[in-house]
Amino acid sequence: VADFDFKESTVVLDTSSPEYDFKVEHQLDIDENLVDLFLNKKVVFTLIESLPKDKTQVLGTAEVRLSPFVKCATKDPQSDTATNALLPALSRKENAVFSYLNPRLLPPPSKDGEQLLPELAVEVSISNPLIRPDAIEAGNFITFSPEDFLPVPDEWTTKEGTEKDLNSNIYFYTLGLSLPSQSSSERRIEITGGVLTTYEAAGQG
């Protein structure tokens, strides 16, 4: 498969604690393409407001990464830890935080200045590991950790948000690289979710 199909939940009434009892199942064949999909794709949730006269408005989006289903724990060569203990969990629960397209729709910050953001409790499960235990036992896993990227265009740091979209000056980046592969000439890898951080801010973190 190249991507997941779009699925729409039923309309939920606007309450202080709405409950989205929504479940979707996919039957997927485990192969190299599926592993790449889990590493490079996300499950995206779109919060849509139903308006009168069958109109709708997108309020915001939230994302859940699938890469933890592929990432394995590092094995100590001196340890006799069983391979099964290194396998990723088959089920994950997390709270996906919505990023609103219009920040003005968010409630005012609390007294201590904390901005409360809408969250959606999500559980994602798979029935079998995406990588066989014997492949993990015999394989080597490479970790890439990009750090500095210099120089960057001035527009990335000087452009201001527009009145319609205050976040239009916030950029997100994807780093792409290619690795040799036995089944093809090369394998394309993407590292997503990059956010521009100035040198001063990075030095303070």
Side-chain angles (χ1 to χ4, degrees):
V1 296
D3 206 342
F4 295 112
D5 295 330
F6 175 81
K7 300 292 184 181
E8 186 173 346
S9 70
T10 57
V11 176
V12 178
L13 296 179
D14 184 14
T15 64
S16 59
S17 299
E19 294 186 4
Y20 295 87
D21 188 10
F22 182 57
K23 181 179 181 181
V24 175
E25 294 185 357
H26 286 277
Q27 185 172 351
L28 306 170
D29 295 327
I30 298 179
D31 55 17
E32 186 175 294
N33 292 329
L34 183 63
V35 174
D36 285 342
L37 185 148
F38 268 67
L39 283 172
N40 296 304
K41 295 289 184 178
K42 304 174 184 176
V43 178
V44 180
F45 301 91
T46 303
L47 184 61
I48 302 175
E49 181 181 16
S50 295
L51 302 173
K53 298 182 180 180
D54 295 329
K55 293 183 179 180
T56 60
Q57 176 183 356
V58 175
L59 299 181
T61 59
E63 298 177 342
V64 172
R65 294 181 179 274
L66 299 175
S67 55
F69 286 107
V70 182
K71 295 179 180 179
C72 302
T74 303
K75 181 178 181 180
D76 184 354
Q78 307 300 324
S79 174
D80 57 356
T81 302
T83 301
N84 289 339
L86 306 176
L87 291 173
L90 298 182
S91 180
R92 299 184 65 246
K93 292 183 179 180
E94 68 175 87
N95 291 333
V97 179
F98 277 96
S99 175
Y100 267 35
L101 300 181
N102 186 357
R104 297 175 182 175
L105 296 177
L106 295 172
S110 60
K111 294 182 179 180
D112 56 4
E114 182 181 1
Q115 178 66 69
L116 299 178
L117 300 175
E119 295 182 349
L120 179 66
V122 179
E123 181 177 3
V124 183
S125 302
I126 57 177
S127 57
N128 294 293
L130 297 179
I131 303 179
R132 303 188 318 273
D134 60 317
I136 294 177
E137 182 69 30
N140 287 319
F141 296 87
I142 304 174
T143 300
F144 292 95
S145 301
E147 296 182 358
D148 297 333
F149 175 64
L150 297 170
V152 297
D154 292 338
E155 181 179 336
W156 291 9
T157 57
T158 59
K159 181 180 178 181
E160 297 182 357
T162 63
E163 183 177 352
K164 292 184 178 180
D165 185 1
L166 300 178
N167 294 329
S168 61
N169 63 329
I170 299 178
Y171 295 85
F172 296 92
Y173 310 92
T174 298
L175 176 64
L177 60 149
S178 300
L179 291 178
S181 175
Q182 292 181 349
S183 58
S184 60
S185 57
E186 61 182 24
R187 172 181 292 180
R188 177 74 175 178
I189 295 178
E190 293 184 352
I191 302 175
T192 61
V195 179
L196 180 65
T197 303
T198 62
Y199 178 79
E200 292 78 7
Q204 296 174 0

